Amino acid sequence: MTTRRAMPRQADIARAAGVSQATVSVVLSGNRARVRMAEATRLRVLEAAEKLGYVPDPVATRLASSRNHMLGLYTFKTTFPTDVADSYYPILVGVEEEAAALGQDLILFTGRGGADRRAHDATAIRRTRVADGCLFFGRHVPDEAIGGLLESGFPLVYIGRRAELDGRIPFVGADYVSATRQVVERLVHNGHRNIRYLREQDDAPSSTDRERGFRQATAGLPASVHRLDGDGIDLDAWRREGVTAVVVEETDTWTAYNALTLALESRNLTCPDDLSLAVLGRPPVESAAVTGFAVPRREMGRQAVRLLVRLITREIGQDSPAAQQLLPCAPVGGTTVGPVR
């Protein structure tokens, strides 16, 4: 059972700042009464409030309701997508659709100090408490900030499977293990044995899940994993080693896929005539010709909103098995996988 830390009160801030609770109340209310106060005192109170993670609760002023019916949305990507081809776009569409269907408003949270600081801005993350709960998504988790929210009992849901913080983070993700295994099994069914999995250096649960599915499908075969490095891809050497098929992971940067595409084009190689190719997801430019699977991003956004509302209303707890969900990925047949030549 997870021990939850109580939300800080104004009395806690008063003790930390060495002032009276009345002084704290004046500072946090914006000093509307124009009480004379030293600037050093005001700053000390604000600093103590920030360190303790105190966020004024707008619900406290409402007599008829204990909820705002407002959900937060916080992404760790540098900017929100402006192109519908962006992999985050369908997630945001699903979030908006389901929030509207459930009568919830959305609050977009932005970090302080510009895009470079945003991903690890603990103060910005704590501000999400002004909402009833918050949706997060990004490849990595700032453990301390998210851990603090979990310990306080604040409802949150990550979009994408998370293994950090001892597996305590509620999430709605895609079942990349099963989807990858099915794609690679198709290659094996077509006679491929020496299969190369090309992935990026960056580690994230979505990448490790894909690698797990790959290894399950190629157990006992001379298959291998290649992490992309600065030396690029030597397809000639791979083919001399007997590699007949390559699978490449989908990420929001598409570094590995783009590197492989350039290597194929530079050698005038085609798929599947010279090499079978499968993408563990979909290519950045949607094409029905490429074999892989479709990530249910729109449905992930919708289900994440539903799960968050269930946590807010205490229909389920954050420790419930129902607070972690994986959705299946639909296979895409494509034409880039064929029998071994």
Side-chain angles (χ1 to χ4, degrees):
M1 180 68 68
T2 302
T3 301
R4 293 180 176 177
R5 186 175 60 203
M7 293 285 287
R9 300 169 300 173
Q10 291 189 6
D12 301 320
I13 299 171
R15 283 192 294 271
V19 299
S20 68
Q21 187 170 339
T23 298
V24 172
S25 179
V26 169
V27 173
L28 297 182
S29 67
N31 197 4
R32 290 188 294 267
R34 299 292 188 268
V35 176
R36 294 185 63 181
M37 181 183 302
E39 179 65 9
T41 300
R42 188 184 73 85
L43 293 176
R44 191 163 69 250
V45 170
L46 292 176
E47 181 180 2
E50 180 174 310
K51 286 183 177 179
L52 291 173
Y54 177 83
V55 177
D57 186 359
V59 179
T61 59
R62 297 191 179 192
L63 300 178
S65 174
S66 61
R67 290 176 53 199
N68 291 317
H69 296 281
M70 293 191 298
L71 309 180
L73 183 63
Y74 196 113
T75 175
F76 295 93
K77 194 172 181 180
T78 303
T79 57
F80 271 81
T82 57
D83 188 339
V84 295
D86 191 289
S87 62
Y88 280 10
Y89 179 81
I91 293 176
L92 296 174
V93 170
V95 167
E96 183 181 29
E97 288 176 341
E98 194 62 23
L102 297 179
Q104 305 291 316
D105 289 319
L106 293 172
I107 307 174
L108 169 61
F109 287 96
T110 58
R112 293 177 179 173
D116 293 339
R117 290 189 54 197
R118 183 169 184 213
H120 303 288
D121 192 337
T123 301
I125 293 172
R126 285 198 299 267
R127 292 206 311 275
T128 61
R129 288 193 179 106
V130 302
D132 293 330
C134 191
L135 301 168
F136 292 88
F137 59 105
R139 279 179 68 80
H140 299 284
V141 173
D143 290 357
E144 183 177 355
I146 298 299
L149 292 181
L150 286 174
E151 290 172 12
S152 71
F154 178 72
L156 65 90
V157 172
Y158 251 85
I159 300 177
R161 188 185 76 82
R162 308 312 315 184
E164 297 88 342
L165 297 173
D166 301 321
R168 294 187 290 118
I169 301 175
F171 65 77
V172 174
D175 187 357
Y176 292 127
V177 176
S178 298
T180 298
R181 186 173 61 245
Q182 292 170 8
V183 167
V184 179
E185 285 173 349
R186 178 179 175 183
L187 288 166
V188 175
H189 178 75
N190 275 273
H192 298 278
R193 297 295 180 267
N194 195 334
I195 306 169
R196 190 66 46 92
Y197 173 32
L198 178 63
R199 60 168 292 183
E200 297 181 19
Q201 289 286 354
D202 182 36
D203 281 314
S206 58
S207 295
T208 57
D209 284 355
R210 287 177 168 94
E211 182 171 333
R212 187 181 308 122
F214 173 81
R215 293 190 182 279
Q216 289 177 2
T218 58
L221 300 178
S224 60
V225 177
H226 178 85
R227 286 183 178 250
L228 188 67
D229 54 30
D231 296 330
I233 302 171
D234 190 346
L235 278 183
D236 294 330
W238 288 12
R239 297 179 75 199
R240 287 195 298 270
E241 294 168 10
V243 173
T244 61
V246 177
V247 294
V248 59
E249 71 169 338
E250 171 195 328
T251 66
D252 53 4
T253 62
W254 284 104
T255 303
Y257 178 85
N258 291 334
L260 180 62
T261 300
L262 288 174
L264 288 168
E265 291 176 350
S266 67
R267 292 163 177 78
N268 292 319
L269 299 177
T270 61
C271 302
D273 293 336
D274 299 303
L275 197 71
S276 281
L277 166 66
V279 175
L280 304 181
R282 301 303 300 137
V285 178
E286 192 67 25
S287 171
V290 180
T291 301
F293 56 78
V295 180
R297 289 188 171 85
R298 190 165 179 170
E299 186 61 22
M300 286 165 61
R302 296 179 67 100
Q303 293 289 350
V305 171
R306 295 177 195 171
L307 175 57
L308 182 58
V309 171
R310 294 181 71 194
L311 290 169
I312 291 169
T313 59
R314 300 180 183 272
E315 182 180 340
I316 62 172
Q318 70 179 31
D319 299 324
S320 168
Q324 297 184 338
Q325 304 173 13
L326 288 177
L327 306 183
C329 301
V332 175
T335 59
T336 55
V337 167
V340 175
R341 300 292 179 180

